[in-house]
Amino acid sequence: MQVVDKLGWDPQTVGELDHRRLTAPHVKLRSLTRGSAGDAVYCVDLRINQPNTVFLSSTEMHSFEHFLLWGFQKYMPANFLSIGLMGCQTGFYLVLLNEGRADQICSVYESILRDILRAHEVPYANIEQCGNYRNHSLESAQQLAQRVLEARSNWRQVV
Ligand SMILES: [Zn+2]
């Protein structure tokens, strides 16, 4: 746990927590897994909404997911492994290889959200690259990005 401390995470909030305690939006380390060669895989929660209160619509989640996919690939090409939706519609799972510093991850996340505000279209929202390409809204993604950015100073406040 000392390792996660050095990376900037509160060891008390790593892992699975009682969802009634969670505040949002937040950025939280879920797990750190070491491979036999010393590589590290970090799973990070990008929680957008407080659990069991308000839920993201499928369109909001979908467009936001495209932007996060595009952005983490752009800013962390050597580390980004995947982004996934939380089925409860309150956030996203980010998976990174060999990059677990909280400040670095939050700074990239912030850059992506700022890019969303300036974007003119949702990335990959076309029939060749998406399995439901009509289900997108740039405006919804921008409203969401704005809301998460406004809470930037509280991202590390998990509970
Ligand atoms: Zn898609």
Side-chain angles (χ1 to χ4, degrees):
M1 280 306 179
Q2 219 185 342
V3 177
V4 301
D5 209 357
K6 275 189 194 140
L7 294 168
W9 306 101
D10 175 359
Q12 306 282 343
T13 67
V14 175
E16 216 32 83
L17 295 179
D18 182 338
H19 282 50
R20 292 171 296 184
R21 297 175 59 208
L22 299 179
T23 60
H26 72 232
V27 178
K28 165 187 176 308
L29 184 66
R30 165 170 292 270
S31 66
L32 156 57
T33 308
R34 290 232 182 257
S36 54
D39 289 309
V41 174
Y42 298 89
C43 296
V44 176
D45 289 354
L46 305 177
R47 185 79 61 171
I48 307 286
N49 286 349
Q50 192 175 352
N52 299 298
T53 55
V54 180
F55 307 102
L56 300 167
S57 72
S58 92
T59 306
E60 281 175 318
M61 296 204 84
H62 190 194
S63 295
F64 220 67
E65 177 222 15
H66 276 221
F67 273 114
L68 294 174
L69 181 61
W70 167 83
F72 281 107
Q73 276 174 345
K74 171 182 158 188
Y75 289 110
M76 308 177 93
N79 309 105
F80 176 73
L81 293 182
S82 81
I83 187 89
L85 311 177
M86 289 183 178
C88 57
Q89 296 169 251
T90 64
F92 299 86
Y93 299 113
L94 171 66
V95 186
L96 297 173
L97 176 68
N98 295 332
E99 179 54 84
R101 291 171 295 168
D103 284 350
Q104 175 65 13
I105 293 167
C106 287
S107 144
V108 167
Y109 188 30
E110 181 180 349
S111 298
I112 296 168
L113 297 179
R114 294 197 184 285
D115 287 346
I116 295 175
L117 298 183
R118 289 189 296 262
H120 298 292
E121 60 181 12
V122 177
Y124 321 123
N126 61 70
I127 199 167
E128 285 157 17
Q129 292 175 289
C130 177
N132 191 357
Y133 78 100
R134 290 191 184 90
N135 183 28
H136 283 287
S137 167
L138 175 62
E139 194 185 1
S140 297
Q142 288 178 327
Q143 284 170 0
L144 202 55
Q146 182 66 45
R147 175 158 71 80
V148 177
L149 274 172
E150 281 166 9
R152 172 68 171 97
S153 56
N154 296 325
W155 286 358
R156 300 292 299 108
Q157 187 74 42
V158 172
V159 290

